[in-house]
Amino acid sequence: MTSINQVDTFRLGSRTVKRLGYGAMQLAGPGVFGPPRDRDAALAVLREAVASGVDHIDTSDFYGPHVTNELIREALAPYPKNLTIVTKIGARRDEKGNWLPAFSREELILAVHDNLRNLGLELLEVVNLRSMFDMHGPAEGSIEVPLTVLAGLQREGLIRHIGLSNVTPTQVAESRGICEIACVQNHYNLAHRGDDSLIDDLARDGIPYVPFFPLGGFSPLQSSSLSEVAERLNATPMQVALAWLLRRSPNILLIPGTSSPAHLRENLTAAELRLPDDLMPALDRIASETAAVGASAE
Ligand SMILES: NC(=O)c1ccc[n+]([C@@H]2O[C@H](COP(=O)([O-])OP(=O)(O)OC[C@H]3O[C@@H](n4cnc5c(N)ncnc54)[C@H](OP(=O)(O)O)[C@@H]3O)[C@@H](O)[C@H]2O)c1
């Protein structure tokens, strides 16, 4: 079995976690809706992740909905003491699987209780408030009202730490004036680097940044530069993409998602990959190449 070697750690709320974790979203059915194609395989991936040393799992009760949390509970409860499960609220699914905002006080309270029940926990270690976004990314606007609801649930003892997801730097600054923020989870990877300065600002304050879609999400990254670097290092493009994130900043915590045991093993081994300085310019060019392709396609 693969085990996570040579990966350093970072503070996440009250815990210290390995910088290479696991994102559970891909365990639900197609489109993150309904049951997995292969339930036993989904349970096996979760068990193998934890047996390999993963101590940080990202989830939400709107994956499925409920499916991913129920799988995590079935595979892993009673949970190892060192396992940090981070969930997120602020959205819901309709009967067709569409993603809808769920930001009212009632919806947020319900979501926290759904997560507690489906994960089989009495306290959620970290809950991310997932903010609004449009097709271009996070949408500006105050998140004071929903954040205050979460802070109330934290005082009630249902949540230990509050994090943010899909947020702009302005929303991060606003939130930090309201309550302590344990982590920020936004879209970021080799080809999508809009949060470069936010990452550096958070690093200065010791706040973890957790990129979602670290491998490119539903369409994993494809780039000739990435493939060439991977070949030079005798690694896979996905391992290089993860190693680049680990090198990018010490406050980056990874949650690559997979429903495949083979991909899980491949991803965990990325912790051992060291990227030499001379290959960094080729990797840094990927973001501008991708932006140029996007612009010419518009
Ligand atoms: N806050 C938010 O709004 C938000 C949004 C999206 C995701 N998230 C979180 O972020 C986590 C990570 O994002 P993600 O899972 O969507 O995207 P990702 O980690 O960037 O990529 C997952 C995709 O890559 C494939 N993959 C994984 N490892 C691979 C490998 N070694 N080689 C080739 N393909 C590989 C997976 O397919 P296979 O299953 O076939 O391996 C899947 O299609 C999620 O699990 C979720 O917890 C949060």
Side-chain angles (χ1 to χ4, degrees), residues 191 284-293:
D284 282 332
R285 272 196 303 276
I286 291 173
S288 46
E289 285 165 8
T290 313
V293 171

Side-chain angles (χ1 to χ4, degrees), residues 2-75:
T2 308
S3 64
I4 314 180
N5 299 317
Q6 301 179 31
V7 66
D8 40 330
T9 57
F10 200 79
R11 195 87 185 148
L12 173 58
S14 323
R15 309 275 187 86
T16 297
V17 297
K18 292 182 183 131
R19 292 184 59 214
L20 223 169
Y22 173 72
M25 185 177 89
Q26 303 290 344
L27 294 181
V32 199
F33 194 57
R37 285 200 186 93
D38 183 341
R39 186 178 175 80
D40 289 342
L43 294 169
V45 168
L46 283 163
R47 290 187 181 120
E48 181 165 344
V50 169
S52 304
V54 164
D55 60 8
H56 168 206
I57 294 181
D58 186 79
T59 184
S60 173
D61 209 53
F62 50 70
Y63 297 159
H66 315 306
V67 170
T68 300
N69 280 350
E70 287 167 356
L71 288 168
I72 290 174
R73 179 182 187 169
E74 183 177 339

Side-chain angles (χ1 to χ4, degrees), residues 12-262:
L12 173 58
S14 323
R15 309 275 187 86
T16 297
V17 297
K18 292 182 183 131
R19 292 184 59 214
L20 223 169
Y22 173 72
M25 185 177 89
Q26 303 290 344
L27 294 181
V32 199
F33 194 57
R37 285 200 186 93
D38 183 341
R39 186 178 175 80
D40 289 342
L43 294 169
V45 168
L46 283 163
R47 290 187 181 120
E48 181 165 344
V50 169
S52 304
V54 164
D55 60 8
H56 168 206
I57 294 181
D58 186 79
T59 184
S60 173
D61 209 53
F62 50 70
Y63 297 159
H66 315 306
V67 170
T68 300
N69 280 350
E70 287 167 356
L71 288 168
I72 290 174
R73 179 182 187 169
E74 183 177 339
L76 302 176
Y79 300 108
K81 271 203 172 69
N82 69 335
L83 178 65
T84 300
I85 299 177
V86 177
T87 190
K88 62 188 81 66
I89 63 174
R92 66 182 175 84
R93 313 296 290 279
D94 69 11
E95 66 287 349
K96 290 187 177 148
N98 294 312
W99 301 77
L100 304 171
F103 248 55
S104 71
R105 179 182 172 76
E106 294 69 28
E107 286 169 318
L108 294 170
I109 293 172
L110 182 68
V112 164
H113 285 281
D114 282 350
N115 275 282
L116 286 167
R117 186 184 60 256
N118 290 323
L119 286 168
L121 291 168
E122 291 177 355
L123 167 71
L124 299 170
E125 190 63 30
V126 184
V127 176
N128 288 334
L129 178 67
R130 179 182 178 271
S131 185
M132 306 70 82
F133 64 93
D134 57 30
M135 59 187 293
H136 303 293
E140 286 292 3
S142 172
I143 55 172
E144 179 178 356
V145 173
L147 201 58
T148 306
V149 176
L150 253 72
L153 294 165
Q154 187 181 37
R155 280 193 299 278
E156 272 181 50
L158 301 180
I159 299 174
R160 202 184 314 270
H161 294 284
I162 295 172
L164 302 171
S165 179
N166 282 308
V167 281
T168 65
T170 309
Q171 288 164 335
V172 174
E174 177 193 40
S175 303
R176 293 184 67 192
I178 298 169
C179 62
E180 197 174 322
I181 295 302
C183 53
V184 174
Q185 182 179 123
N186 275 0
H187 184 182
Y188 183 85
N189 57 45
L190 253 176
H192 190 98
R193 296 188 51 178
D195 270 351
D196 269 329
S197 51
L198 177 61
I199 291 170
D200 296 335
D201 289 346
L202 294 172
R204 269 190 294 278
D205 292 340
I207 298 175
Y209 180 92
V210 186
F212 72 74
F213 294 161
L215 300 174
F218 296 103
S219 321
L221 295 167
Q222 285 191 352
S223 140
S224 50
S225 307
L226 181 58
S227 301
E228 281 160 28
V229 169
E231 205 169 318
R232 288 262 308 267
L233 296 172
N234 202 17
T236 68
M238 297 300 110
Q239 288 172 325
V240 173
L242 294 174
W244 180 86
L245 285 165
L246 286 173
R247 184 183 151 132
R248 168 63 185 79
S249 185
N251 65 328
I252 288 188
L253 298 180
L254 297 186
I255 50 164
T258 181
S259 54
S260 143

